[in-house]
Amino acid sequence: MAVLCGLLWAGHATAQDAPLHLLQAAVIGLQDPAQARDASLLVREQPGVVVGRFDVATRNMMLQVRPECTLDAAGLNALLAPLGISVRCFSRSVVGSAPFQHVDADQCGSAGPTR
């Protein structure tokens, strides 16, 4: 029994120790702090999302998610559509693999690249 518990704990610890992923995007249609708060709360309810923030001043979205989280640009746009906002210039990387930089919402184009 102790061996089984140890194996289960080791598997759990490995999954928890995996580096988080950073999802970033420019946000279109974000008008005010209340809307940003609602969007942040909505994405934080999604499986695998650890941190979620929408910022009106920079027109940016920043999420930290577990590696198994399946959110992508299309999924986020479907999720956020009822709030009247969408994302573009979506990217996903491992947290800490590069210095954090905001997405320039004015420079990423109407369709924007997806990385």
Side-chain angles (χ1 to χ4, degrees):
M1 182 65 158
V3 173
L4 178 58
C5 290
L7 288 174
L8 290 174
W9 176 253
H12 176 72
T14 301
Q16 293 298 320
D17 293 340
L20 295 176
H21 288 191
L22 175 67
L23 279 58
Q24 285 186 266
V27 183
I28 309 306
L30 192 59
Q31 301 294 319
D32 59 56
Q35 187 184 32
R37 184 195 70 240
D38 291 346
S40 296
L41 292 172
L42 182 61
V43 297
R44 279 186 242 156
E45 293 175 347
Q46 304 311 302
V49 175
V50 177
V51 175
R53 183 162 192 269
F54 287 75
D55 184 68
V56 176
T58 62
R59 295 181 288 158
N60 268 230
M61 174 206 78
M62 185 279 302
L63 306 178
Q64 288 187 3
V65 301
R66 292 189 176 87
E68 64 273 10
C69 179
T70 60
L71 280 177
D72 60 9
L76 283 164
N77 283 330
L79 183 66
L80 298 169
L83 299 177
I85 57 178
S86 62
V87 298
R88 64 178 184 198
C89 302
F90 176 89
S91 68
R92 183 178 186 137
S93 61
V94 174
V95 169
S97 62
F100 178 82
Q101 295 182 358
H102 287 105
V103 176
D104 187 340
D106 294 326
Q107 298 298 318
C108 72
S110 59
T114 299
R115 295 184 270 163

